[in-house]
Amino acid sequence: MPTNKISVADPDVTSSNHYSVHLDWSSSLLQFKYHILNETERIYTIAQQCEGHIEHEDGWKNVYIGYGEHTVVMDLNACSQYMFRVRFHRSDDDYTYWSPPAKIFTAKEPFYGENLHKAVRRQKIPEIVDVLNSGHITVDVPDNHGLSALMNTAKRGQPEIMKVLLSYNASVSCKDEAGKTALMHACIYGQISTVKLLRTHGAIYEDYDLGGTTPLHYAIDSCNCDLIEWMITDGANVNIQDRNAGWTPLMRCASLHGNKLVAYTLIHNKADIDLRDINGKTCLMIAVVNGYLPLVELLLENNANITIYNTSGRTAFEIAVSLERRTITECMVKYMNRKGIKIHE
């Protein structure tokens, strides 16, 4: 039984967050020492914790036993109620009453970048707003792949979610680790609705990623002719050359897939067929190298210059012969005969 049946004040909660509480009982300990008229006597403290409501004595557990004046209780649950009490001991048989319990509610766990990206993936606009209103993260925080939420929604074709992100000042000029903007990601996936939205918020066409590629070049990859034509009409330079090989969008088409409809869209919108890359190759030469007969035919129909030499001193016809592109060679021979062009083999 206690021989010092003295009441002590509840511990002070000096700080707390979603997983810890800092308890301080220094003022109560000082009061107790003065009461027993021996302030130099060494007193030890037992601090206990009870989660939720006190229903019986077994609900308490020790969180601190020692001679200190404070402690930090860790590993608590967020948004939960806890109670803490203390008592002081001169010895195992000489101690005070337990203090009144100090009640504390731990904070809500703060939001992280993944909370935003998860809400965006789930297409839950109220959750997105809740995360952004918390003030814990920025709207452009990247995901595990280095992409902002705006980039991900742009490539998925989600303009309504993009509008929410843009209302929180999501950056259209922000770039991922490869230097790609949201506009470039939208172009890769042929998302015309999100391209249009990004343009109304200042996204630019004459921008380059780390590989020197522009949004229009990426639109070629999508094979979305409606998107390509809209971008050119909107001001994208149909003859813009990348900063790597010097390819125009038409050259990229001739190199990657040779899609005839894409090439026709570009030519119809005044693409220069005879521009040359850094190695002196024309679109016709690139199409020959890759064996795209329909594209070769389209280029010849639009009067591609078959007599141009690359930096190695060879024409498109000579390239076709050296690579044994027999069908393409036959096509080119017929064309040169019609045009009265002398054949050199």
Side-chain angles (χ1 to χ4, degrees):
M1 296 291 295
T3 58
N4 250 311
K5 297 285 286 184
I6 300 169
S7 297
V8 295
D10 56 328
D12 295 321
V13 178
T14 60
S15 64
S16 66
N17 53 34
H18 66 285
Y19 68 90
S20 70
V21 169
H22 186 190
L23 302 175
D24 187 296
W25 51 85
S26 57
S27 60
S28 297
L29 180 58
L30 184 61
Q31 178 188 11
F32 174 55
K33 286 183 177 181
Y34 280 146
H35 183 84
I36 64 175
L37 303 177
N38 187 356
E39 59 183 276
T40 62
E41 186 172 3
R42 199 171 190 202
I43 305 298
Y44 72 91
T45 305
I46 297 178
Q48 290 189 330
Q49 163 196 319
C50 182
E51 184 174 357
H53 299 285
I54 304 174
E55 296 180 355
H56 49 78
E57 191 67 19
D58 293 341
W60 294 92
K61 66 178 182 179
N62 293 342
V63 292
Y64 176 84
I65 300 176
Y67 293 95
E69 298 182 350
H70 59 86
T71 190
V72 177
V73 184
M74 305 286 289
D75 299 324
L76 303 179
N77 296 319
C79 296
S80 299
Q81 174 184 291
Y82 292 89
M83 295 185 183
F84 299 94
R85 65 183 186 179
V86 298
R87 72 181 182 189
F88 306 128
H89 288 243
R90 299 176 68 182
S91 68
D92 289 345
D93 297 322
D94 190 359
Y95 51 86
T96 67
Y97 285 119
W98 286 107
S99 70
K103 183 185 296 185
I104 180 68
F105 286 88
T106 51
K108 181 179 180 180
E109 185 173 0
F111 288 116
Y112 301 97
E114 178 54 28
N115 296 108
L116 174 61
H117 291 289
K118 182 178 180 180
V120 168
R121 287 194 300 270
R122 287 157 49 88
Q123 301 183 53
K124 300 293 185 179
I125 290 179
E127 291 181 17
I128 296 170
V129 171
D130 191 27
V131 173
L132 293 174
N133 281 341
S134 73
H136 292 140
I137 64 167
T138 62
V139 67
D140 294 319
V141 61
D143 64 11
N144 292 334
H145 301 288
L147 304 184
S148 69
L150 188 66
M151 294 172 189
N152 281 317
T153 51
K155 74 178 187 179
R156 294 177 191 141
Q158 298 169 333
E160 294 307 312
I161 297 179
M162 289 178 66
K163 290 176 185 177
V164 175
L165 298 172
L166 289 164
S167 73
Y168 282 87
N169 298 317
S171 173
V172 298
S173 60
C174 179
K175 295 190 175 186
D176 63 16
E177 294 176 353
K180 292 183 179 64
T181 61
L183 180 61
M184 293 176 188
H185 284 285
C187 289
I188 291 170
Y189 288 88
Q191 302 291 0
I192 189 169
S193 62
T194 58
V195 167
K196 289 180 177 180
L197 179 59
L198 289 167
R199 282 288 292 163
T200 64
H201 284 79
I204 60 176
Y205 289 133
E206 294 197 0
D207 196 5
Y208 301 83
D209 67 7
L210 296 183
T213 307
T214 73
L216 185 56
H217 286 92
Y218 281 122
I220 301 305
D221 301 0
S222 74
C223 295
N224 185 333
C225 295
D226 290 337
L227 170 61
I228 294 166
E229 186 155 34
W230 186 88
M231 290 175 67
I232 296 170
T233 302
D234 187 51
N237 181 0
V238 69
N239 292 312
I240 191 169
Q241 292 179 281
D242 68 33
R243 290 178 174 173
N244 181 25
W247 284 352
T248 64
L250 186 58
M251 291 176 187
R252 189 174 180 93
C253 170
S255 176
L256 295 187
H257 47 64
N259 188 296
K260 187 174 180 178
L261 289 177
V262 170
Y264 177 80
T265 300
L266 293 168
I267 294 170
H268 177 70
N269 284 278
K270 301 182 179 179
D272 188 334
I273 295 176
D274 295 324
L275 281 177
R276 289 183 275 186
D277 66 13
I278 60 174
N279 295 312
K281 296 192 303 294
T282 62
C283 292
L284 182 60
M285 294 176 188
I286 296 172
V288 167
V289 169
N290 288 287
Y292 295 135
L293 175 62
L295 180 54
V296 168
E297 291 173 337
L298 176 65
L299 292 170
L300 293 176
E301 288 170 7
N302 283 273
N303 300 312
N305 190 337
I306 203 169
T307 65
I308 293 175
Y309 292 91
N310 63 15
T311 54
S312 298
R314 295 197 296 176
T315 65
F317 178 73
E318 291 169 333
I319 293 172
V321 172
S322 66
L323 294 176
E324 298 184 350
R325 306 282 195 220
R326 292 184 176 84
T327 305
I328 291 178
T329 300
E330 292 172 3
C331 169
M332 298 178 79
V333 167
K334 292 178 182 178
Y335 173 80
M336 289 187 289
N337 286 335
R338 289 199 308 271
K339 295 290 185 176
I341 299 171
K342 187 175 180 181
I343 299 175
H344 297 279
E345 297 191 43

